[in-house]
């Protein structure tokens, strides 16, 4: 990806939460790719979330976009988190060159995305447009089964992927964009469900090493300590509602 | 994709339901790509679902695969429906060549996949490993909101995509793999929720034309009338439980 001024990436995402935008930010930060987090800029300087409405209406991209994150690179406008992450990973060298490895990386990315949807639905099992408080009963039930079944099953799958790769990277021998995604998943799970994460931790030694290795990458480390990293909060996907965590 | 014997595609998916495997089958059928629906072959001839366990264990692919559908083409083994469909669409000429169009096609595919998850969760809002009957109360609630909010919002988004493209194809001017996916979504919605589909139909004239046009493609038409097309049933994603449809 050319690094000239015209090609500075523009990320469009909600202002006050990590959400799906965070997966994109981690790739941009790790590769020191110049980008503007557009909606987080002051409105007087062209920021604000009105951009997202303009994308939805089709005004900004020539076609309508259902939901952010949205990435603009030169003339190319990309939507859907796994689509953006694959695009950036391949352009920025954060994945091996071979087609088989790239297909495998995309497969793992999509499986991480499935887990992300499962995490989201622990607090929104009935409808996205209702508040958590309006669907709390179903949420308690869904969260229970998430800790009992879905989380252990998926997380042990990813641990097995690492074991098969004989290392601490999911695809190939170098850190790829999929490892950055997995890092975010692991720290998010630990924020939202500390007890449940504690319980699965003994079974995922390789994943924990992956997480620690990513956290130590110089640019990721600097980013996590910067004001650009929005703290986890209860507007995002990973929400810490103690009643939805594993019971003692 | 080479059509020689060694390259015959092998599809691995559950035997008795359309499910996510159907999105792959439609592409293979429309392009007259030779394939074997492996698990549906008699066990005495190498069929059966034990293959899926072998993929899960990592035995068959050199890495573990979480869930079918799985496609084997020569030495390449691909998993995750949007990953397989994109791969086949690009290989088989069922999508424009330009990168921007391919990214847009993948974006729409992933949004169709989001709708598919929402459909699945109408009958499984609490846990995938529980029976529908065990989560019926939450299902009734989730289905209500699906018909009120999620379905109209997503389906009108896809209608808008067609309007922006000034035609009856979602991406470019020729039928692409994304149109085949949308066809399956529309006939599936009509099977599962005939009343709800009836209600949204006046608002989606272009989508209905897309559906009818795909159904008339000679190979799709032949496929739909063949025994290879498994009928919709209540083991799949699109399940007709009248109580989950829109109320009169």
């Amino acid at each position: 990806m050319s690094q000239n001024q015209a090609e500075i990436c523009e990320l469009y995402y909600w202002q006050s939460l990590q959400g799906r935008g965070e997966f994109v930010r981690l790739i941009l930060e790790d590769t020191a790719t110049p980008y503007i987090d557009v909606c987080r800029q002051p409105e007087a300087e062209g920021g604000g979330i009105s951009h997202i409405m303009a994308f939805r209406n089709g005004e900004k991209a020539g076609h309508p976009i259902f939901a952010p994150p949205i990435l603009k690179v030169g003339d190319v406008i990309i939507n859907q988190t796994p689509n953006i992450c694959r695009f950036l990973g391949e352009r920025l060298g954060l994945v091996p060159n071979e087609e088989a490895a790239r297909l495998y990386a995309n497969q793992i990315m999509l499986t991480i995305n499935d887990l992300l949807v499962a995490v989201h639905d622990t607090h929104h099992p009935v409808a996205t447009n209702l508040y958590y408080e309006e669907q709390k009963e179903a949420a308690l039930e869904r969260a229970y089964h998430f800790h009992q079944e879905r989380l252990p099953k998926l997380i042990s799958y990813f641990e097995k992927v690492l074991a098969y790769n004989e290392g601490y990277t999911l695809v190939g021998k170098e850190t790829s964009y999929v490892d950055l995604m997995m890092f975010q998943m692991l720290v998010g799970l630990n924020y939202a469900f500390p007890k449940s994460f504690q319980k699965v931790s003994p079974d995922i030694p390789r994943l924990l090493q992956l997480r620690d290795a990513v956290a130590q990458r110089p640019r990721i480390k600097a980013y996590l300590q910067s004001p650009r990293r929005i703290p986890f909060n209860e507007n995002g996907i990973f929400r810490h509602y103690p009643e939805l965590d594993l019971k003692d």
Side-chain angles (χ1 to χ4, degrees), chain A:
Chain A
M1 202 181 295
S2 156
Q3 303 277 319
N4 62 34
Q5 189 64 22
E7 291 272 289
I8 281 186
C9 289
E10 295 175 15
L11 171 65
Y12 297 84
Y13 196 65
W14 308 116
Q15 297 161 305
S16 55
L17 54 108
Q18 290 183 14
R20 294 168 191 274
E22 197 63 15
F23 293 90
V24 182
R25 287 190 194 104
L26 285 168
I27 298 176
L28 296 170
E29 292 282 348
D30 188 67
T31 52
T33 304
Y35 73 102
I36 303 171
D37 210 334
V38 181
C39 302
R40 289 172 73 190
Q41 306 309 308
E43 286 194 29
E45 294 168 29
I49 60 167
S50 60
H51 293 288
I52 291 176
M53 288 313 300
F55 276 114
R56 282 192 173 158
N57 296 338
E59 287 165 28
K60 256 185 115 101
H63 56 250
I65 288 178
F66 189 69
I70 301 151
L71 189 77
K72 187 171 183 299
V73 190
D75 290 337
V76 181
I77 289 170
I78 320 166
N79 176 233
Q80 277 279 8
T81 311
N83 199 26
I84 301 172
C85 293
R86 180 180 68 84
F87 170 84
L88 285 178
E90 295 183 1
R91 285 292 189 91
L92 298 168
L94 261 182
V95 68
N97 274 321
E98 299 72 33
E99 185 184 30
R102 291 182 166 203
L103 287 164
Y104 186 42
N106 191 42
Q107 165 191 322
I108 297 171
M109 169 84 229
L110 288 164
T111 310
I112 295 173
N113 195 58
D114 288 345
L115 178 53
L116 193 69
V117 173
V119 169
H120 171 271
D121 283 7
T122 57
H123 50 77
H124 276 77
V126 172
T128 306
N129 59 322
L130 294 179
Y131 289 111
Y132 162 61
E133 289 73 17
E134 297 177 277
Q135 49 196 312
K136 200 166 165 181
E137 203 178 327
L140 288 166
E141 218 184 327
R142 177 141 187 160
Y144 171 82
H145 290 282
F146 176 78
H147 300 306
Q148 294 300 317
E149 200 260 344
R150 204 73 190 150
L151 177 62
K153 198 167 167 184
L154 267 157
I155 205 89
S156 66
Y157 165 72
F158 294 120
E159 180 74 12
K160 198 152 70 174
V161 167
L162 287 178
Y164 265 79
N165 202 28
E166 294 175 356
Y168 305 98
T169 52
L170 290 158
V171 180
K173 293 300 168 200
E174 306 288 328
T175 297
S176 74
Y177 74 94
V178 199
D179 298 314
L180 303 184
M181 309 298 98
M182 184 53 69
F183 162 80
Q184 175 67 6
M185 174 56 69
L186 294 166
V187 296
L189 286 168
N190 187 49
Y191 171 79
F193 309 117
K195 290 180 184 172
S196 189
F197 193 75
Q198 188 72 36
K199 191 185 170 199
V200 297
S201 287
D203 301 326
I204 55 167
R206 287 178 188 267
L207 282 171
L208 298 183
Q209 260 194 268
L210 175 158
R211 177 197 62 184
D212 296 345
V214 169
Q216 288 306 314
R217 287 171 72 83
R219 289 168 185 152
I220 295 290
K221 192 175 178 181
Y223 168 62
L224 295 176
Q225 292 166 352
S226 79
R228 298 191 301 284
R229 173 82 163 181
I230 302 166
F232 282 112
N233 63 48
E234 282 55 55
N235 297 316
I237 295 174
F238 296 104
R239 301 186 183 187
H240 180 52
Y241 296 134
E243 65 274 20
L244 295 189
D245 198 357
L246 195 70
K247 299 286 168 289
D248 289 316

